[in-house]
Amino acid sequence: MPTNKQRRQAAQRRLQRQLERREELAQKRRRNTLIGVAVLAVLAIAGAVFVVIGLGDDEPADATATPEATTAAPVVDGSDGTCDFVPDTSGSETLTDVGIPPAEVPTTGTTDLTLATSAGDIGLTLDQANAPCASASMVYLAEQGFFEGTPCHRLTSGGLSVLQCGDPSGTGTGGPTYDFPTQVTGSETYPRGTLAMANAGQGTDASQFFLVYADSQLQPDYTVVGTIDDAGLATLDAIAAAGIEGGATDGAPATPVTIESTTVAAP
């Protein structure tokens, strides 16, 4: 068992890391909008042309920054049972304050989360072993009632094929008043049935997530949180079949989708 002194030292280290990450993230303009589409890359098999761009911070990197200015302490990604949930200091009016999750998180097994939506239930299995911070955040927000009454504000088709939810403002810029590290290896894929976190650049995961209803041609920039059950996929298929407003390939669902309630399975 760790001593009180060791606990205090660990807490101080976590606080220092959080302060360093807070300063870094405060310089970023928050736009939690997941992804955009432009014509740029050829998908030879489909014979169609797509580009899948991870939308992050549109501000250019500071070319004058020194190595010392850009070097930060390692972030805590949950692999050791703790996560850096860092306060968002952007001051955005689209953020909703529901506090910050506990730093200590489960790192084994899975947990189930059900989204009851206006289009039908969507059952999710969260992977606490491979995405501990994202899983813990989703459970925390669900238990706070954060998702209830919120819209799934974005539906995409073609090479992306996702439904994006988790923004109470419905603008694509909203979320809670904290961020946490993106957890990717660079080998992620997003086949049908994937649940993943949207972000506005590495280290800006928060509440927005996307549900993949057909194999998606995304870059490996998004934390894979878990999977969607068969009933949930049937719900997503019906949402996708109803189309996108104005017949577009990216926009609000033609038939509005609202998360009415969330249920976290008992441990």
Side-chain angles (χ1 to χ4, degrees):
M1 294 288 291
T3 65
N4 288 335
K5 180 179 179 181
Q6 289 171 326
R7 291 192 186 95
R8 287 195 297 271
Q9 290 174 336
Q12 289 170 350
R13 289 193 296 270
R14 285 198 298 271
L15 177 59
Q16 182 61 31
R17 286 192 293 266
Q18 290 175 346
L19 291 173
E20 290 169 346
R21 278 179 50 74
R22 186 186 310 175
E23 178 63 24
E24 178 184 353
L25 292 174
Q27 299 174 13
K28 293 185 176 182
R29 180 158 58 94
R30 181 187 183 86
R31 267 182 54 216
N32 226 356
T33 51
L34 176 61
I35 39 185
V37 183
V39 177
L40 191 66
V42 176
L43 296 181
I45 296 177
V49 181
F50 296 99
V51 68
V52 183
I53 302 174
L55 286 188
D57 188 0
D58 349 4
E59 297 176 1
D62 182 1
T64 65
T66 64
E68 291 77 17
T70 57
T71 300
V75 299
V76 181
D77 63 5
S79 57
D80 66 348
T82 59
C83 291
D84 274 342
F85 293 112
V86 182
D88 185 303
T89 58
S90 67
S92 171
E93 295 181 355
T94 58
L95 302 184
T96 302
D97 188 359
V98 288
I100 294 179
E104 295 184 4
V105 300
T107 58
T108 60
T110 62
T111 191
D112 293 332
L113 171 64
T114 300
L115 308 177
T117 80
S118 55
D121 287 355
I122 301 175
L124 308 174
T125 298
L126 309 182
D127 186 347
Q128 298 178 146
N130 293 309
C133 298
S135 296
S137 176
M138 287 199 73
V139 168
Y140 173 81
L141 292 173
E143 291 175 341
Q144 301 300 311
F146 180 89
F147 298 118
E148 295 182 6
T150 65
C152 289
H153 63 279
R154 187 179 188 191
L155 180 65
T156 66
S157 59
L160 302 185
S161 303
V162 305
L163 177 70
Q164 188 172 340
C165 315
D167 173 8
S169 74
T171 64
T173 64
T177 51
Y178 67 85
D179 298 302
F180 58 91
T182 305
Q183 191 165 17
V184 293
T185 65
S187 61
E188 284 76 14
T189 59
Y190 306 90
R192 172 177 165 84
T194 299
L195 164 69
M197 297 304 299
N199 64 50
Q202 300 300 292
T204 61
D205 291 29
S207 65
Q208 292 192 42
F209 58 90
F210 60 93
L211 305 156
V212 183
Y213 64 85
D215 294 353
S216 187
Q217 307 298 321
L218 282 167
Q219 297 296 314
D221 296 330
Y222 308 99
T223 303
V224 175
V225 192
T227 56
I228 307 164
D229 68 7
D230 289 342
L233 285 171
T235 297
L236 289 173
D237 289 342
I239 294 170
I244 300 168
E245 278 189 354
T249 58
D250 186 340
T255 301
V257 179
T258 301
I259 298 175
E260 298 174 339
S261 65
T262 55
T263 304
V264 178

